[in-house]
């Protein structure tokens, strides 16, 4: 079986040498210490049901689901508590049997308050979902598969939580040639995808089989960073004979798991700016999402639990856990022995792009791939200094932007110039520039602000335009019929 | 107080396991590379220590006074007029050290101090401090000295012979504003001066080791190169700039030698004068050189070309300082025309083709 070399006619020069030595990759990027050894070898364990689960209705990208339960309702594990509200939306299911105690505001992991369904878990319930009819996937049309995936509430489990069924539905004029499975897991500390690949390679291949049928593609590639040799080996030795699946060991480099970087590494093609992977004929799915899809078609159960890496030097017993969706951070930390005395930062997701949590009552969601607790020594940062134009951010940026210049423009709040001249919208907020900046300038934070600032500026411009058009219309109306001026005014 | 209890949403008191971590809320990324601007600056200072020691070896302990005076000028000015704590970032120390290394061994101390103060005050603070300056402050300080004290800055005491370690040579202790050149001193022309005015070419080995006349840091090309290689390996300087400058200078001198055989060869051109120090430590000043790699090549080519032109046809024997200062002024323009191609977009040339 070929490794990655020689693909796309091979790369020449230094890039070719690096591909030969370290596996295919993209240009630029950074090398944070991967810190995965805390949990990489620990088998996945199941966490006991907590006393309460809190299910935010906004757990995915797109429209939040709509609650269909009321306070006092009895729900069984797997029952729908919120239905999909539109096409880019998925339902939310009860992750434990119990009683609905509240449908109202609750702290959301993104830092805001949002509507959530609270369920008091019934301690004596057997927690077995209602029996389900498991659809035989081979007899299903692509539409039916997508419907089943949506009904099961499956979203991308890599972090962005984009509804999976939408990705499985490329427009008719786009030919999809390649199903690309993202097992890079380039974020430091996280090992949940790694454990899924090691412990459930069959599930991964089963999920791939269903996806390939649904998309009508006959080739799939699993991209795994080379720091997971056991996962690569397990996946390779379990490939079913009738399935064209290739496992590629990729360079260990952040952000190797970003969709566009992964596609570049595997196919050599760049997704055009502002376009989606499907424009180069690829559909990318996270490996854990694929395993979740397989589970849906194996058991009929919806997405009500996920594998979470609880790790970092700030937690006493790091482990890979199966956690019911909606379990509160406090319960998870308690099960992992609690926080070390010097814990300073709790992060949902990986340390490069994850969100910090100030509140131990926030629930873990479908998209929460990890809980990373850092201590002072990892989270300490040098003092913020002026930019000295060292150029490290340019050398780090995987999409070849000029973060230094963008940072200067952000300080001037010149969002339009950031977007037009320096292509702010190509920034995916991976944080590589902030990571390497010796002056510790919060570049990616400034770009996040810049993006929202830009939206506001554009909104204002649009409103002004509309206002002008209205005035113009009024003036013409007035010109045409001078007697109506007063009505217009 | 625990930060989350104030929200009113935590219903249960913290248990022993999760009590009282004072949680920090910082934007991602939550990790940071173990490097800082101050560390870069102080590492640059550290790599210059061998160069300073070499110049002590060649010119005696007096050179420490010259360097010390220049550093005092930069650091006192930074402390007095710069932002609080700015001395800790090490940039003023580098400016002073580099300025000191461009001066002759017997340079009056008060002038060195003044040059340092001018370099920081008018070369850096007036633009807004660290990161904002257009010109290399050390070179601006030296340009000021060259204009103000043209005789003192071209009086080159001879290399130490025998045990005159403690001899203070030249006008080191001349009182301020009292004129210069009143002390007798054995001088020695610099290799570039010898070439320009006498037509003599020094041996490459002498140049490499540094046993020739010249300013403090013009002497030991070898140690400067070693420092540069270390900094380049640590990614503390952009290797494209010195490599580009050396290649350009070598290329032009080979070319001119073909036309006129009395023109010195590439090795002499590279290792004489301040070119090595300038190419490795001054042109690579991050603040005043292009941030893009394409820009670095253009910048280096410009410096190399100007150095050869000034040395060959200008009125001065040495042109590194002006070459770098001139190219410094062009950096914003060079950066503008060398913006990297963004991922997923066509190269600029193709875009233009498409438009046309």
């Amino acid at each position: 079986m070929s490794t990655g070399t020689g693909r796309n006619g091979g790369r020449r020069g230094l890039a070719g040498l690096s591909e030969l030595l370290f596996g295919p990759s993209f240009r630029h990027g950074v090398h944070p210490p991967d810190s995965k050894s805390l949990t990489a070898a620990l088998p996945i364990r199941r966490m006991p049901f907590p006393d309460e689960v809190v299910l935010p209705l906004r757990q995915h990208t797109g429209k939040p689901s709509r609650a269909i339960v009321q306070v006092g309702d009895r729900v069984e594990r797997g029952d729908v508590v919120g239905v999909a509200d539109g096409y880019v939306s998925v339902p939310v299911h009860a992750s434990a049997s119990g009683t609905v105690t509240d449908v109202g505001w609750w702290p959301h992991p993104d830092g805001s308050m949002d509507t959530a369904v609270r369920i008091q878990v019934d301690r004596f319930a057997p927690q077995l979902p209602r029996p389900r009819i498991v659809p035989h996937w081979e007899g299903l049309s692509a539409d039916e598969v997508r419907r089943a995936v949506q009904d099961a509430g499956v979203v991308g489990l890599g972090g962005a939580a984009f509804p999976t069924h939408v990705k499985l539905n490329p427009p008719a004029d786009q030919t999809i040639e390649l199903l690309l499975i993202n097992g890079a897991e380039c974020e430091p500390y996280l090992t949940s995808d790694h454990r899924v690949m090691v412990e459930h390679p069959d599930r991964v291949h089963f999920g791939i089989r269903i996806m390939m049928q649904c998309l009508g593609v006959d080739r799939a590639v699993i991209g795994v960073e080379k720091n997971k040799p056991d996962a690569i080996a397990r996946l390779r030795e379990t490939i079913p004979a009738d399935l064209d699946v290739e496992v590629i060991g990729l360079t260990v480099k952040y952000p190797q798991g970003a969709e566009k970087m992964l596609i570049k590494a595997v196919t050599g093609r760049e997704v055009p700016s502002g376009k989606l992977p499907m424009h180069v004929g690829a559909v990318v799915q996270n490996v854990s999402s694929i395993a979740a899809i397989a589970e849906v078609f194996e058991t009929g159960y919806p997405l009500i639990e996920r594998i979470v890496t609880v790790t970092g030097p700030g937690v006493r017993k790091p482990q890979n856990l199966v956690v019911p969706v909606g379990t509160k951070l406090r319960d998870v930390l308690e099960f992992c022995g609690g926080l070390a005395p010097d814990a300073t930062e709790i992060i949902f997701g990986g340390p490069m792009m994850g969100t910090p949590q100030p509140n131990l009552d926030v629930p873990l969601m479908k998209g929460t791939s990890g809980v990373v607790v850092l201590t002072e020594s990892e989270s300490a940062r040098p003092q913020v200094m002026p930019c000295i134009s060292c150029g490290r951010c340019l050398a780090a940026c995987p999409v070849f932007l000029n973060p230094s210049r963008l940072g200067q423009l952000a300080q001037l709040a010149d969002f339009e110039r950031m977007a037009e001249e320096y292509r702010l919208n190509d920034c995916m907020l991976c944080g590589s520039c902030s990571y390497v900046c010796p002056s510790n300038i919060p570049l990616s934070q400034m770009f996040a602000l810049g993006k929202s600032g830009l939206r506001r500026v554009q909104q204002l411009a649009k409103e002004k335009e509309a206002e002008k058009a209205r005035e113009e219309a009024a003036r013409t109306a007035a010109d045409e019929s001078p007697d109506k001026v007063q009505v217009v005014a | 107080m625990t930060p989350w209890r104030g929200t009113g949403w935590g219903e249960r008191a913290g248990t022993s396991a999760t009590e009282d971590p004072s949680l920090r809320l910082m934007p991602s990324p939550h990790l940071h590379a173990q490097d800082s601007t101050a560390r870069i600056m102080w590492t640059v200072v550290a790599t210059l220590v061998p160069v300073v020691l070499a110049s002590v070896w060649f010119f005696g302990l007096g050179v420490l006074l010259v360097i010390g005076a220049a550093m005092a000028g930069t650091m006192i000015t930074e402390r007095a007029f710069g932002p609080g704590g700015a001395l800790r970032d090490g940039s003023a120390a580098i400016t002073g050290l580099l300025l000191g290394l461009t001066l002759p061994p017997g340079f009056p101390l008060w002038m060195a101090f003044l040059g340092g103060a001018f370099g920081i005050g008018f070369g850096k603070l007036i633009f807004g401090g660290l990161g904002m300056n257009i010109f290399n402050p050390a070179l601006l300080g030296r340009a000021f000295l060259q204009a103000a004290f043209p005789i003192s800055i071209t009086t080159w005491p001879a290399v130490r012979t025998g045990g005159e370690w403690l001899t203070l040579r030249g006008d080191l202790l001349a009182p301020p504003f009292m004129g210069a050149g009143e002390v007798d001193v054995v001088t020695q022309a610099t290799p570039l001066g010898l070439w320009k005015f006498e037509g003599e070419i020094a041996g490459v080995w002498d140049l490499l080791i540094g046993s020739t006349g010249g300013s403090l840091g013009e002497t030991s090309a070898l140690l400067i190169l070693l420092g540069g290689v270390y900094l380049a390996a640590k990614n503390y300087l952009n290797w494209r700039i010195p490599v580009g400058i050396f290649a350009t200078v070598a290329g032009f001198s080979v070319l001119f030698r073909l036309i006129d055989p009395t023109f010195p060869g590439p090795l002499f051109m590279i290792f004489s004068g301040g070119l090595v120090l300038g190419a490795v430590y001054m042109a690579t000043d991050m603040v005043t050189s292009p941030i893009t790699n394409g820009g670095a090549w253009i910048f280096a080519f410009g410096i190399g070309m100007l150095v050869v032109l000034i040395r060959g046809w200008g009125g001065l024997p040495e042109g590194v300082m002006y070459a770098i200062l001139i190219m410094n002024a062009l950096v914003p323009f060079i950066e503008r025309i060398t913006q990297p191609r963004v991922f997923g977009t066509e190269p600029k040339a193709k875009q233009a083709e498409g438009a046309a």
Side-chain angles (χ1 to χ4, degrees), chain B residues 171-186:
Chain B
D171 294 331
L172 270 187
L173 299 178
F177 306 110
M178 294 301 283
E182 282 146 29
V183 184
D184 274 342
V185 57
V186 184

PDB file of all heavy atoms in Angstrom, chain B residues 171-186:
ATOM      1  N   ASP B 171      41.647  59.709  21.372  1.00  0.00           N
ATOM      2  CA  ASP B 171      41.060  60.806  22.134  1.00  0.00           C
ATOM      3  C   ASP B 171      40.010  60.345  23.114  1.00  0.00           C
ATOM      4  O   ASP B 171      39.101  61.082  23.448  1.00  0.00           O
ATOM      5  CB  ASP B 171      40.378  61.775  21.163  1.00  0.00           C
ATOM      6  CG  ASP B 171      41.378  62.455  20.278  1.00  0.00           C
ATOM      7  OD1 ASP B 171      42.526  62.626  20.743  1.00  0.00           O
ATOM      8  OD2 ASP B 171      41.029  62.790  19.145  1.00  0.00           O
ATOM      9  N   LEU B 172      40.115  59.076  23.550  1.00  0.00           N
ATOM     10  CA  LEU B 172      39.044  58.508  24.359  1.00  0.00           C
ATOM     11  C   LEU B 172      38.472  59.482  25.380  1.00  0.00           C
ATOM     12  O   LEU B 172      37.259  59.633  25.510  1.00  0.00           O
ATOM     13  CB  LEU B 172      39.570  57.288  25.112  1.00  0.00           C
ATOM     14  CG  LEU B 172      39.434  55.943  24.414  1.00  0.00           C
ATOM     15  CD1 LEU B 172      39.839  54.857  25.363  1.00  0.00           C
ATOM     16  CD2 LEU B 172      38.005  55.754  23.963  1.00  0.00           C
ATOM     17  N   LEU B 173      39.373  60.130  26.123  1.00  0.00           N
ATOM     18  CA  LEU B 173      38.893  60.923  27.255  1.00  0.00           C
ATOM     19  C   LEU B 173      38.822  62.407  26.937  1.00  0.00           C
ATOM     20  O   LEU B 173      38.761  63.240  27.827  1.00  0.00           O
ATOM     21  CB  LEU B 173      39.793  60.685  28.473  1.00  0.00           C
ATOM     22  CG  LEU B 173      39.797  59.222  28.938  1.00  0.00           C
ATOM     23  CD1 LEU B 173      40.731  59.029  30.110  1.00  0.00           C
ATOM     24  CD2 LEU B 173      38.393  58.769  29.301  1.00  0.00           C
ATOM     25  N   ALA B 174      38.816  62.732  25.656  1.00  0.00           N
ATOM     26  CA  ALA B 174      38.731  64.148  25.293  1.00  0.00           C
ATOM     27  C   ALA B 174      37.501  64.761  25.950  1.00  0.00           C
ATOM     28  O   ALA B 174      36.417  64.175  25.917  1.00  0.00           O
ATOM     29  CB  ALA B 174      38.625  64.282  23.774  1.00  0.00           C
ATOM     30  N   PRO B 175      37.653  65.947  26.559  1.00  0.00           N
ATOM     31  CA  PRO B 175      36.484  66.582  27.184  1.00  0.00           C
ATOM     32  C   PRO B 175      35.524  67.045  26.093  1.00  0.00           C
ATOM     33  O   PRO B 175      35.936  67.356  24.984  1.00  0.00           O
ATOM     34  CB  PRO B 175      37.086  67.766  27.932  1.00  0.00           C
ATOM     35  CG  PRO B 175      38.393  68.026  27.276  1.00  0.00           C
ATOM     36  CD  PRO B 175      38.875  66.731  26.728  1.00  0.00           C
ATOM     37  N   PRO B 176      34.255  67.054  26.404  1.00  0.00           N
ATOM     38  CA  PRO B 176      33.234  67.389  25.398  1.00  0.00           C
ATOM     39  C   PRO B 176      33.495  68.744  24.747  1.00  0.00           C
ATOM     40  O   PRO B 176      33.923  69.681  25.399  1.00  0.00           O
ATOM     41  CB  PRO B 176      31.940  67.403  26.201  1.00  0.00           C
ATOM     42  CG  PRO B 176      32.209  66.555  27.383  1.00  0.00           C
ATOM     43  CD  PRO B 176      33.660  66.677  27.681  1.00  0.00           C
ATOM     44  N   PHE B 177      33.221  68.837  23.505  1.00  0.00           N
ATOM     45  CA  PHE B 177      33.231  70.063  22.705  1.00  0.00           C
ATOM     46  C   PHE B 177      34.576  70.749  22.690  1.00  0.00           C
ATOM     47  O   PHE B 177      34.657  71.936  22.490  1.00  0.00           O
ATOM     48  CB  PHE B 177      32.143  71.035  23.203  1.00  0.00           C
ATOM     49  CG  PHE B 177      30.790  70.394  23.245  1.00  0.00           C
ATOM     50  CD1 PHE B 177      30.182  70.115  24.456  1.00  0.00           C
ATOM     51  CD2 PHE B 177      30.138  70.040  22.073  1.00  0.00           C
ATOM     52  CE1 PHE B 177      28.950  69.504  24.494  1.00  0.00           C
ATOM     53  CE2 PHE B 177      28.905  69.438  22.109  1.00  0.00           C
ATOM     54  CZ  PHE B 177      28.309  69.158  23.327  1.00  0.00           C
ATOM     55  N   MET B 178      35.676  70.018  22.944  1.00  0.00           N
ATOM     56  CA  MET B 178      36.977  70.662  22.971  1.00  0.00           C
ATOM     57  C   MET B 178      37.779  70.334  21.724  1.00  0.00           C
ATOM     58  O   MET B 178      38.978  70.500  21.697  1.00  0.00           O
ATOM     59  CB  MET B 178      37.758  70.241  24.217  1.00  0.00           C
ATOM     60  CG  MET B 178      37.157  70.719  25.503  1.00  0.00           C
ATOM     61  SD  MET B 178      37.023  72.501  25.600  1.00  0.00           S
ATOM     62  CE  MET B 178      38.729  72.914  25.971  1.00  0.00           C
ATOM     63  N   GLY B 179      37.143  69.826  20.707  1.00  0.00           N
ATOM     64  CA  GLY B 179      37.887  69.505  19.496  1.00  0.00           C
ATOM     65  C   GLY B 179      38.557  68.164  19.630  1.00  0.00           C
ATOM     66  O   GLY B 179      38.551  67.561  20.698  1.00  0.00           O
ATOM     67  N   ALA B 180      39.108  67.716  18.565  1.00  0.00           N
ATOM     68  CA  ALA B 180      39.694  66.388  18.591  1.00  0.00           C
ATOM     69  C   ALA B 180      40.992  66.396  17.830  1.00  0.00           C
ATOM     70  O   ALA B 180      41.387  67.396  17.241  1.00  0.00           O
ATOM     71  CB  ALA B 180      38.727  65.394  17.955  1.00  0.00           C
ATOM     72  N   GLY B 181      41.670  65.272  17.871  1.00  0.00           N
ATOM     73  CA  GLY B 181      42.868  65.105  17.065  1.00  0.00           C
ATOM     74  C   GLY B 181      44.093  65.761  17.683  1.00  0.00           C
ATOM     75  O   GLY B 181      45.094  65.960  17.020  1.00  0.00           O
ATOM     76  N   GLU B 182      44.024  66.069  18.971  1.00  0.00           N
ATOM     77  CA  GLU B 182      45.181  66.710  19.586  1.00  0.00           C
ATOM     78  C   GLU B 182      46.121  65.708  20.227  1.00  0.00           C
ATOM     79  O   GLU B 182      47.225  66.055  20.629  1.00  0.00           O
ATOM     80  CB  GLU B 182      44.724  67.736  20.636  1.00  0.00           C
ATOM     81  CG  GLU B 182      44.251  69.028  19.967  1.00  0.00           C
ATOM     82  CD  GLU B 182      43.105  69.668  20.731  1.00  0.00           C
ATOM     83  OE1 GLU B 182      43.062  69.477  21.954  1.00  0.00           O
ATOM     84  OE2 GLU B 182      42.255  70.317  20.096  1.00  0.00           O
ATOM     85  N   VAL B 183      45.687  64.487  20.352  1.00  0.00           N
ATOM     86  CA  VAL B 183      46.538  63.479  20.956  1.00  0.00           C
ATOM     87  C   VAL B 183      47.250  62.726  19.849  1.00  0.00           C
ATOM     88  O   VAL B 183      46.642  62.389  18.841  1.00  0.00           O
ATOM     89  CB  VAL B 183      45.700  62.505  21.805  1.00  0.00           C
ATOM     90  CG1 VAL B 183      46.616  61.517  22.520  1.00  0.00           C
ATOM     91  CG2 VAL B 183      44.846  63.263  22.788  1.00  0.00           C
ATOM     92  N   ASP B 184      48.530  62.480  20.058  1.00  0.00           N
ATOM     93  CA  ASP B 184      49.262  61.696  19.061  1.00  0.00           C
ATOM     94  C   ASP B 184      48.871  60.234  19.166  1.00  0.00           C
ATOM     95  O   ASP B 184      48.786  59.697  20.255  1.00  0.00           O
ATOM     96  CB  ASP B 184      50.773  61.813  19.307  1.00  0.00           C
ATOM     97  CG  ASP B 184      51.313  63.039  18.608  1.00  0.00           C
ATOM     98  OD1 ASP B 184      50.611  63.548  17.710  1.00  0.00           O
ATOM     99  OD2 ASP B 184      52.402  63.494  18.989  1.00  0.00           O
ATOM    100  N   VAL B 185      48.627  59.630  18.061  1.00  0.00           N
ATOM    101  CA  VAL B 185      48.240  58.233  18.104  1.00  0.00           C
ATOM    102  C   VAL B 185      48.742  57.552  16.840  1.00  0.00           C
ATOM    103  O   VAL B 185      48.780  58.150  15.770  1.00  0.00           O
ATOM    104  CB  VAL B 185      46.719  58.073  18.267  1.00  0.00           C
ATOM    105  CG1 VAL B 185      46.000  58.787  17.150  1.00  0.00           C
ATOM    106  CG2 VAL B 185      46.311  56.632  18.343  1.00  0.00           C
ATOM    107  N   VAL B 186      49.203  56.322  17.054  1.00  0.00           N
ATOM    108  CA  VAL B 186      49.634  55.555  15.892  1.00  0.00           C
ATOM    109  C   VAL B 186      48.387  55.086  15.171  1.00  0.00           C
ATOM    110  O   VAL B 186      47.579  54.364  15.734  1.00  0.00           O
ATOM    111  CB  VAL B 186      50.464  54.343  16.328  1.00  0.00           C
ATOM    112  CG1 VAL B 186      50.997  53.610  15.103  1.00  0.00           C
ATOM    113  CG2 VAL B 186      51.588  54.781  17.241  1.00  0.00           C
TER     114      VAL B 186
END
